[in-house]
Amino acid sequence: SFNFGTSYALGETRSQGNELLFLTYLGTVLEPKEYEALRTYKLFEYIDIILMATIMDEFEETIYSLPDRREYTVEDFDNIMYEIVESYGLAEDEKTCEYAEELWRNVGISYPIYYLNYGVSAMAALNLYGLSREDYDAALEAYRIIQEEAVTDKDFVGTLEKAGVDSVFD
């Protein structure tokens, strides 16, 4: 079963946080130019995850609110997704439109709110990353707390608070 805000969200935060803590570490061993290129790419990737999660959330909210959604065709849902992507000013990018269409077909239908959860976890991981740039040891301790809490059904926001990581809802 899928429960937003329990260990699933913490598990994703743990995974993404691990990646971003490693990114901070790489800043100590890579040449500055190489590191900045990698850092820019990774941060862009995370911003993309959050943006696509927002688009998917809006799509899911739209289609699950339709009283007669069973009468809609795949093409109708494609058009709804296109309109949402267009409302974000991204419709001119063909790859974004294809990706959004792929997301709703492969993720949105089978695993509702999965991508929203993934985006929220990415935001928490970015908060952990910000902490790691200020105080790496504090970030490692926060990560340890998140990792330990992720193996049980703990409260997502409460665990972030316990770990000293800013809530994604603030």
Side-chain angles (χ1 to χ4, degrees):
S1 70
F2 180 88
N3 295 312
F4 180 80
T6 61
S7 61
Y8 182 80
L10 291 175
E12 285 294 337
T13 302
R14 178 185 60 190
S15 173
Q16 295 166 327
N18 184 35
E19 185 176 304
L20 290 174
L21 286 175
F22 187 64
L23 178 63
T24 300
Y25 163 75
L26 287 175
T28 67
V29 295
L30 292 177
E31 293 295 324
K33 220 174 183 179
E34 294 170 338
Y35 176 70
E36 192 54 36
L38 176 63
R39 185 173 97 72
T40 300
Y41 173 78
K42 293 308 290 180
L43 293 179
F44 175 82
E45 184 179 62
Y46 273 79
I47 290 167
D48 184 60
I49 289 168
I50 294 165
L51 178 60
M52 292 310 295
T54 304
I55 289 170
M56 277 298 296
D57 178 57
E58 191 169 331
F59 173 78
E60 290 172 3
E61 188 174 326
T62 299
I63 66 166
Y64 291 122
S65 297
L66 297 171
D68 56 349
R69 69 180 168 269
R70 294 179 194 271
E71 297 176 18
Y72 283 70
T73 66
V74 170
E75 291 78 23
D76 292 331
F77 288 144
D78 283 343
N79 289 332
I80 290 169
M81 178 56 90
Y82 179 82
E83 289 172 10
I84 293 169
V85 169
E86 186 176 45
S87 75
Y88 282 78
L90 301 171
E92 291 184 23
D93 182 8
E94 190 174 320
K95 288 190 184 273
T96 299
C97 290
E98 289 172 4
Y99 183 56
E101 184 178 296
E102 181 182 312
L103 274 180
W104 89 253
R105 290 178 180 208
N106 297 323
V107 179
I109 298 299
S110 300
Y111 306 99
I113 79 164
Y114 165 81
Y115 219 77
L116 175 61
N117 195 328
Y118 192 55
V120 167
S121 300
M123 290 173 62
L126 282 171
N127 288 343
L128 181 64
Y129 172 71
L131 178 61
S132 77
R133 304 232 336 141
E134 295 170 12
D135 185 342
Y136 195 72
D137 289 336
L140 290 177
E141 177 59 16
Y143 180 77
R144 184 195 62 74
I145 292 168
I146 292 168
Q147 180 163 333
E148 287 178 0
E149 301 289 310
V151 298
T152 61
D153 280 341
K154 295 292 183 179
D155 175 60
F156 177 68
V157 174
T159 299
L160 293 180
E161 185 177 292
K162 179 180 176 182
V165 176
D166 291 337
S167 171
V168 300
F169 301 109
D170 286 345

